[in-house]
């Protein structure tokens, strides 16, 4: 029974340690990814240090580096907490094993002593004949027969426990060394973070000398965003109205054909059932899905939610969907994703559809593609390779991303709409 209790305890501890190990593995992977991103940003930052025209880019990179360093420090803190838990559990485990080993040795010593005292045949017979009755004498006989086997088994338990105790003590030492190494890394990250914050202060001071120019640049960017959103809304609204017009014309044509057929068959026109028509009260979804082809395309698009490819082969989200605040603390709202990619990267359609609009917005291009009742928009393109009305396949290249002359960054803005409503690309695009 005692052995079973020990066994259950060992199983529980191993399961707990396995859970921590899995979490630690994930944290290590995250830390490696953060380190990789920091190395790339540091390389990019060094390229801009001596270029006065890219001061704004320096500030943006520093902000990203600071955020990544803070995230990495938090990651290390999580790892340290995990290791503290492992150390605590290992200490408890070692203490328990030591207690079990002491108990096993005590029991084993008692058995050895008993065996020594009763090693002669005379003493064994006296032990048996001293029983109160036959049943007790039989039990004592069986006990003498089994004590040798049990003693060997106990010796095996002691050896296994000693081996396990030695392994756990080594693991505990290894975990403590890993914790010490992490704490050293953490101090280095804090030191680097302090340096980068000082650099940020210096860059901000330099930028303040050109405050007027920077504000003008920010206003230009905001105007471009506003104009792009207006173009997208206009394109979608035009498609809705066009779909409504076509649906109404189709309904009238079907009604006229039905009436002509009824007249030829000498039926009363009033008895002819009218086909369902699109009216002013019809929803946007009903209008855009009025034809079987459009309805199927919408269904296929919806069926790929969470699995759509990214509009660029390689990229990372610089600005996500929703409310955010700029450098001046001004509240803004993003209706899509700003995706940072490589200069000159190809931009591709995330799903099959039809190009409905191509517009020049402040020197860069916007392409809008219709997918039934869904629309995707790709803006800040340097060039485009499609034309309005063209059918597009999934991952087909539609243009190349533009590179900002001030920041040196290549960013494509991706927006996704259901009718006139913007939706978060995060729940539609596949994990990158």
């Amino acid at each position: 029974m005692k052995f079973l209790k020990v066994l259950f305890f060992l199983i529980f501890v191993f399961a707990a340690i396995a859970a921590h190990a899995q979490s630690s593995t994930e944290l290590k992977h995250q830390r490696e990814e953060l380190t990789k991103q920091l190395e790339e940003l540091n390389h990019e930052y060094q390229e801009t240090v001596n270029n006065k025209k890219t001061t704004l880019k320096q500030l943006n990179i520093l902000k990203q580096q600071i955020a990544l360093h803070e995230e990495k420090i938090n990651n290390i803190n999580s790892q340290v907490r995990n290791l503290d838990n492992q150390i605590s559990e290992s200490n408890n485990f070692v203490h328990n094993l030591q207690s079990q080993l002491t108990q096993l040795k005590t029991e084993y010593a008692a058995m050895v002593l008993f065996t020594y005292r009763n090693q002669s045949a005379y003493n064994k017979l006296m032990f048996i004949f001293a029983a109160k009755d036959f049943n007790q004498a039989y039990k004592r006989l069986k006990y003498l027969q089994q004590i040798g086997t049990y003693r060997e088994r106990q010796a095996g338990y002691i050896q296994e426990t000693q081996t396990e105790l030695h392994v756990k003590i080594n693991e505990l030492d290894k975990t403590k060394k890993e914790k010490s190494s992490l704490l050293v890394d953490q101090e280095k990250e804090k030191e680097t973070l302090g340096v980068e914050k000082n650099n940020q202060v210096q860059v901000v001071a330099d930028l303040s000398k050109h405050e007027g120019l920077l504000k003008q640049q920010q206003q230009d960017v905001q105007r471009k965003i506003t104009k792009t959103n207006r173009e997208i809304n206009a394109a979608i609204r035009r498609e809705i109205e066009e779909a409504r017009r076509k649906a109404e014309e189709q309904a009238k044509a079907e009604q006229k054909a039905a009436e002509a057929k009824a007249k030829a068959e000498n039926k009363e026109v009033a008895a002819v059932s009218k086909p369902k028509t699109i009216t002013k009260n019809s929803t946007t979804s009903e209008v855009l899905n009025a034809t079987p082809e459009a309805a199927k395309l919408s269904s296929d698009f919806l069926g790929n939610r969470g699995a759509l490819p990214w509009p660029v082969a390689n990229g990372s989200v610089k600005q996500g969907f929703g409310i955010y605040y700029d450098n001046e603390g001004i509240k803004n709202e993003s209706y899509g994703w700003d995706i940072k990619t490589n200069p000159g990267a190809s931009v591709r359609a995330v799903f099959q559809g039809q190009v409905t609009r191509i517009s020049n917005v402040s020197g860069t291009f916007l392409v809008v593609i219709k997918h039934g009742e869904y629309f995707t928009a790709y803006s800040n393109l340097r060039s485009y390779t499609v034309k309005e009305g063209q059918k597009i396949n999934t991952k087909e290249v539609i243009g190349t991303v533009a590179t900002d002359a001030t920041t040196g960054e290549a960013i494509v803005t991706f927006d996704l709409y259901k009718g006139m409503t913007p939706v978060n690309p995060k729940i539609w695009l596949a994990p990158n």
Side-chain angles (χ1 to χ4, degrees):
M1 181 62 69
K2 291 180 180 178
F3 175 71
L4 290 176
K5 289 181 179 178
V6 174
L7 180 61
F8 287 138
F9 173 78
L10 294 179
I11 293 174
F12 171 77
V13 172
F14 284 141
I17 292 175
H20 280 300
Q22 182 180 8
S23 179
S24 296
T25 301
E26 293 173 355
L27 288 170
K28 286 179 182 177
H29 178 69
Q30 291 175 6
R31 186 155 61 96
E32 289 171 358
E33 288 296 320
L34 290 171
T35 301
K36 182 180 177 181
Q37 293 180 40
L38 282 168
E39 289 175 353
E40 293 175 353
L41 283 174
N42 186 57
H43 176 72
E44 191 173 354
Y45 178 77
Q46 293 301 322
E47 292 180 347
T48 67
V49 169
N50 298 321
N51 191 341
K52 296 180 180 179
K53 294 183 179 179
T54 56
T55 311
L56 185 59
K57 183 178 180 181
Q58 292 177 30
L59 179 60
N60 291 334
I61 293 175
L62 280 170
K63 287 182 178 180
Q64 294 177 58
Q65 286 180 315
I66 289 171
L68 287 175
H69 277 297
E70 290 175 343
E71 187 177 350
K72 191 173 179 181
I73 290 172
N74 291 333
N75 177 279
I76 292 175
N77 287 333
S78 298
Q79 285 188 273
V80 170
R81 284 194 296 271
N82 269 1
L83 290 176
D84 284 337
N85 291 333
Q86 290 183 40
I87 290 171
S88 177
E89 289 175 357
S90 294
N91 279 326
N92 292 335
F93 188 66
V94 167
H95 292 156
N96 188 275
L97 284 176
Q98 289 173 336
S99 299
Q100 295 295 331
L101 184 60
T102 301
Q103 183 179 354
L104 287 170
K105 286 182 177 181
T106 301
E107 294 176 354
Y108 185 75
M111 283 189 295
V112 170
L113 181 60
F114 176 83
T115 303
Y116 175 77
R117 289 175 177 175
N118 297 277
Q119 59 184 342
S120 67
Y122 175 77
N123 288 339
K124 291 180 179 178
L125 287 174
M126 287 299 295
F127 177 69
I128 294 172
F129 288 141
K132 295 180 180 180
D133 52 35
F134 178 78
N135 287 335
Q136 189 180 56
Y138 179 76
K139 290 180 180 179
R140 289 189 175 190
L141 177 62
K142 296 299 292 183
Y143 175 76
L144 289 173
Q145 292 174 347
Q146 295 173 357
I147 193 169
T149 303
Y150 184 70
R151 187 177 64 184
E152 292 178 0
R153 189 185 310 136
Q154 285 293 95
Y157 292 159
I158 291 172
Q159 186 175 3
E160 291 175 2
T161 304
Q162 286 176 328
T163 302
E164 182 66 22
L165 182 60
H166 179 70
V167 170
K168 292 309 299 180
I169 290 174
N170 287 338
E171 289 181 357
L172 182 58
D173 290 340
K174 183 179 178 181
T175 303
K176 289 180 178 179
K177 289 179 181 178
E178 185 178 355
K179 177 183 175 181
S180 298
S181 177
L182 278 174
L183 292 174
V184 171
D185 288 345
Q186 186 182 57
E187 288 303 315
K188 289 180 180 178
E189 289 298 325
K190 288 181 178 179
E191 183 179 349
T192 304
L193 180 61
V195 171
E196 289 179 350
K197 284 187 175 180
N198 290 334
N199 290 340
Q200 184 185 33
V201 171
Q202 183 60 47
V203 171
V204 169
D206 293 340
L207 286 174
S208 64
K209 300 175 183 179
H210 311 285
E211 185 175 0
L213 177 61
L214 291 175
K215 284 188 175 180
Q216 181 63 43
Q217 291 175 350
Q218 291 175 347
Q219 290 173 359
D220 290 343
V221 169
Q222 193 57 47
R223 278 195 292 268
K224 185 175 181 180
I225 292 173
T226 302
K227 186 175 180 181
T228 299
N229 291 334
R230 189 165 55 243
E231 287 286 333
I232 294 172
N233 288 329
I236 296 174
R237 192 176 296 108
R238 185 185 67 179
E239 288 301 314
I240 294 173
E241 293 303 319
E242 182 65 15
R244 187 186 301 275
R245 183 187 64 78
K246 288 182 178 179
E248 290 176 351
E249 289 181 354
Q250 179 67 22
K252 289 179 182 179
E254 291 177 358
Q255 176 68 16
K256 188 174 181 180
E259 291 174 353
K261 182 178 179 181
K263 186 175 181 180
E265 295 175 354
N266 294 321
K267 294 181 180 179
E268 293 185 9
V269 175
V272 178
S273 59
K274 295 183 179 181
K276 184 179 179 180
T277 60
I278 297 297
T279 66
K280 292 182 178 180
N281 295 325
S282 298
T283 64
T284 299
S285 181
E286 289 174 339
V287 171
L288 293 173
N289 290 315
T291 65
E293 295 81 6
K296 183 179 184 307
L297 190 55
S298 297
S299 177
D300 292 343
F301 191 88
L302 178 61
N304 281 272
R305 183 169 62 181
L308 296 175
W310 279 47
V312 288
N314 296 295
S316 59
V317 179
K318 183 179 180 183
Q319 177 59 57
F321 181 91
I323 302 295
Y324 69 96
Y325 294 85
D326 62 18
N327 298 331
E328 303 296 326
I330 299 175
K331 182 178 179 181
N332 293 285
E333 185 171 7
S334 171
Y335 297 110
W337 273 7
D338 287 343
I339 301 175
K340 183 179 178 181
T341 185
N342 302 322
S346 296
V347 180
R348 58 194 188 180
V350 300
F351 199 70
Q352 60 180 319
Q354 184 177 24
V355 178
T356 63
R357 187 130 183 191
I358 300 174
S359 302
N360 186 323
V361 182
S362 303
T364 59
F365 297 99
L366 160 71
V367 175
V368 180
I369 301 176
K370 179 183 177 184
H371 317 274
E373 67 173 313
Y374 297 92
F375 296 84
T376 54
Y378 315 76
S379 55
N380 198 41
L381 304 185
R382 181 186 66 193
S383 60
Y384 58 91
T385 57
V386 293
K387 58 184 179 180
E388 291 185 1
Q390 180 179 338
K391 294 289 182 68
I392 297 294
N393 294 318
T394 303
K395 289 189 176 182
E396 184 173 342
V397 174
I398 61 174
T400 56
V401 66
T403 300
D404 191 295
T406 303
T407 64
E409 294 179 325
I411 296 176
V412 59
T413 300
F414 174 75
D415 298 274
L416 198 157
Y417 284 73
K418 181 180 180 182
M420 294 293 297
T421 305
V423 293
N424 193 344
K426 183 177 182 180
I427 63 176
W428 289 89
L429 298 182
N432 193 16

